[in-house]
Amino acid sequence: IKLDSAFTVQWKRPIGGSQGTDELSSIIQTVDNGYVFIARTTTLDGDVKGIHLSSKLYNQKDSVYFDSTSDIWVVKLSETGEIKWQKCLGGYGDEYPSEIIQTSDSGYVILGTTTSNDGDVSGNHGGTDIWVVKLGGAVNSVNLSPSSDQITYKEFNIFPNPSNDIVNLQLYYLQTAKKVVFYDMVGREYTPPYQLSENTATVNVKSLPPGAYIVKLEFSYNTYIGSYSLPLLVFH
């Protein structure tokens, strides 16, 4: 909400989404008379684009629920409160924002914390680290163009992808791999040779015809049974 000196509303607007939580941390006025703010977000829609999402799976008193991880959300507003650009910063752990300042080269420095060591984050020492990010200006290590609508998930990973030999499936958190099934683009089912070991599966794709597949990995967590799916390209 923008107020004038007499506390009269000049403009107002909600910013965020409906599927998650957006919590403001810091807002400043910029040299172009606009505004920039940082917030913690777990939102999947609305104004939020490009979140790094990983749903933590919990089991409490025989009920299963998911708790999505959070990103630092940076939003630049015009003088009249319209969104000029936005970006989600972080990885597949939790990021919490603290402060943002504008620098002399018209860039920004953001201070927060992170538990990630992937996505935008590298060099984590384990646990929760302080995370400092420089945006824009002379040091532009992060693209400030408007993000795509794509949500990035990391429930499990497939590597290498593409592959012509051995493919590794890696689950995260305390889930146990149970079964692997491949589907081609017309829905035919394949079960190539695979081996399971706790939260990993190793699959030999040499016998599969080359092409694109959907890999379905079934898993268990205590009494809960679920599955994840990701695309894989096989070539020979």
Side-chain angles (χ1 to χ4, degrees):
I1 304 174
K2 176 67 166 63
L3 308 178
D4 64 15
S5 58
F7 301 103
T8 301
V9 175
Q10 295 185 309
W11 52 260
K12 59 184 177 179
R13 63 166 298 170
I15 301 174
S18 64
Q19 299 184 41
T21 301
D22 309 300
E23 299 173 348
L24 180 68
S25 177
S26 178
I27 186 170
I28 60 172
Q29 189 167 25
T30 53
V31 294
D32 61 357
N33 292 319
Y35 306 89
V36 66
F37 70 78
I38 53 174
R40 173 183 177 266
T41 185
T42 64
T43 297
L44 312 182
D45 61 358
D47 298 316
V48 183
K49 306 291 190 299
I51 188 171
H52 301 79
L53 181 67
S54 181
S55 294
K56 297 178 180 178
L57 182 66
Y58 293 93
N59 189 318
Q60 186 177 42
K61 294 182 179 179
D62 297 324
S63 64
V64 175
Y65 65 96
F66 293 87
D67 181 22
S68 297
T69 57
S70 60
D71 271 7
I72 294 175
W73 189 35
V74 190
V75 181
K76 177 67 171 67
L77 303 177
S78 69
E79 187 176 359
T80 57
E82 298 301 315
I83 295 178
K84 297 185 69 174
W85 53 258
Q86 66 87 48
K87 189 170 185 67
C88 288
L89 297 172
Y92 300 99
D94 283 304
E95 280 70 50
Y96 290 87
S98 179
E99 298 289 340
I100 184 170
I101 62 170
Q102 187 159 34
T103 54
S104 59
D105 61 0
S106 296
Y108 303 95
V109 169
I110 297 167
L111 180 67
T113 61
T114 181
T115 63
S116 300
N117 198 22
D118 46 24
D120 299 319
V121 187
S122 60
N124 189 297
H125 297 82
T128 302
D129 273 9
I130 295 171
W131 194 36
V132 184
V133 181
K134 175 67 165 63
L135 300 180
V139 182
N140 188 8
S141 60
V142 180
N143 180 14
L144 283 183
S145 60
S147 302
S148 70
D149 292 343
Q150 182 179 1
I151 299 170
T152 306
Y153 293 90
K154 193 171 184 179
E155 304 298 357
F156 79 101
N157 193 22
I158 297 180
F159 59 95
N161 189 4
S163 178
N164 64 351
D165 191 358
I166 301 298
V167 174
N168 300 293
L169 311 182
Q170 175 70 58
L171 282 163
Y172 289 84
Y173 307 111
L174 302 178
Q175 302 158 13
T176 301
K178 304 296 290 186
K179 183 180 179 181
V180 179
V181 180
F182 281 54
Y183 297 94
D184 65 15
M185 293 300 98
V186 296
R188 290 180 295 230
E189 181 177 317
Y190 297 84
T191 307
Y194 64 87
Q195 293 182 333
L196 303 177
S197 177
E198 297 181 350
N199 65 337
T200 62
T202 303
V203 186
N204 189 327
V205 298
K206 289 182 178 180
S207 62
L208 293 179
Y213 294 85
I214 297 298
V215 181
K216 180 179 178 181
L217 177 60
E218 296 182 5
F219 69 91
S220 65
Y221 178 79
N222 291 346
T223 60
Y224 178 78
I225 302 296
S227 66
Y228 298 126
S229 297
L230 279 180
L232 172 70
L233 185 63
V234 175
F235 68 97
H236 299 302

